[in-house]
Amino acid sequence: SSTSRGLGDVYKRQKDIRIHDFPHYGFDPHENYYTGTPTVRLSITESLADHNAVDGITTDNCLDSRIADNIADSNGRHGINIVTAARNNLFENNIATQNGGNGITLQPGSGDLSRTSDSNSIVESNLSENNSQELNDKHSGIYLDNDGTVFSTQNQVRSNLIRSAGSKRHRYGISEKNTGDDFNTYSSNSISGSVRKPINLIGPNSRIL
């Protein structure tokens, strides 16, 4: 990787890469396992993750990072998966299509309960189309998940285009898993084709603006 300066910050940049047909994940940046130090200011842009067995793009304990202008297509599970204390990240202008699970999943939980429960991420101006190909009425375009102890909170989900059609469609356009996934805001999202309803809001303090 190389470094470049933008908006006053130094980003570790990965650009114009294709990862395909892997038996597990496509892009899978992690923390420093031995010290628990997060990956900071990572940039993955203009890249393609397709036909991988699990997720197309997974961000594990990444902080202040930007994942933008990528395509996650026809992966076995989720297109983009935001996990394990990943927080304060920006996911924008990505395309998630024909994936087996959710188009975009936020699930910051992990077995290490000392980690923060907040995601504080922005999911903006992405296209999630024709996911849930594993099974009709099972997965969502954008899904806020948890592990029962650590929850998806304080996220902003805005200006996304979510569509599904055909024999296998999203259960919801956007959904929270349960009441612990809270204090999230949703605005200006365009949703069509969901089997049950466009937005499944469960957190008592989450809001559609």
Side-chain angles (χ1 to χ4, degrees), residues 3-11 13 41:
T3 59
S4 64
R5 293 190 177 273
L7 301 178
D9 293 318
V10 177
Y11 280 85
R13 177 168 294 181
R41 292 187 293 277

Side-chain angles (χ1 to χ4, degrees), residues 10-170:
V10 177
Y11 280 85
K12 294 173 281 293
R13 177 168 294 181
Q14 301 291 334
K15 181 178 180 181
D16 193 21
I17 298 170
R18 183 187 181 197
I19 299 180
H20 63 99
D21 296 307
F22 271 66
H24 296 288
Y25 299 90
F27 291 89
D28 189 17
H30 273 252
E31 65 183 1
N32 183 315
Y33 177 80
Y34 297 100
T35 66
T37 304
T39 295
V40 179
R41 292 187 293 277
L42 172 69
S43 174
I44 300 176
T45 61
E46 300 177 37
S47 294
L48 170 62
D50 65 295
H51 297 90
N52 299 293
V54 190
D55 301 329
I57 301 172
T58 295
T59 58
D60 187 319
N61 203 6
C62 293
L63 174 64
D64 296 333
S65 295
R66 180 173 181 261
I67 313 300
D69 302 304
N70 303 292
I71 298 173
D73 176 68
S74 300
N75 297 288
R77 193 169 64 170
H78 309 311
I80 298 173
N81 198 4
I82 305 162
V83 301
T84 318
R87 58 201 184 277
N88 300 330
N89 299 303
L90 175 62
F91 297 82
E92 64 176 348
N93 299 325
N94 299 289
I95 297 173
T97 58
Q98 300 289 333
N99 297 290
N102 304 309
I104 300 173
T105 303
L106 290 88
Q107 51 174 5
S110 74
D112 182 354
L113 302 185
S114 67
R115 291 174 177 174
T116 178
S117 62
D118 292 344
S119 297
N120 294 300
S121 291
I122 297 174
V123 178
E124 180 176 29
S125 300
N126 301 284
L127 169 63
S128 177
E129 184 171 39
N130 294 336
N131 297 291
S132 195
Q133 294 302 296
E134 176 189 10
L135 185 66
N136 181 57
D137 190 24
K138 182 174 182 179
H139 301 284
S140 298
I142 297 176
Y143 187 62
L144 287 84
D145 200 0
N146 65 72
D147 67 355
T149 303
V150 186
F151 298 91
S152 295
T153 63
Q154 304 287 350
N155 298 288
Q156 299 177 54
V157 180
R158 61 197 190 200
S159 301
N160 298 285
L161 177 59
I162 302 167
R163 302 184 298 213
S164 61
S167 61
K168 295 180 180 179
R169 294 190 291 158
H170 301 145

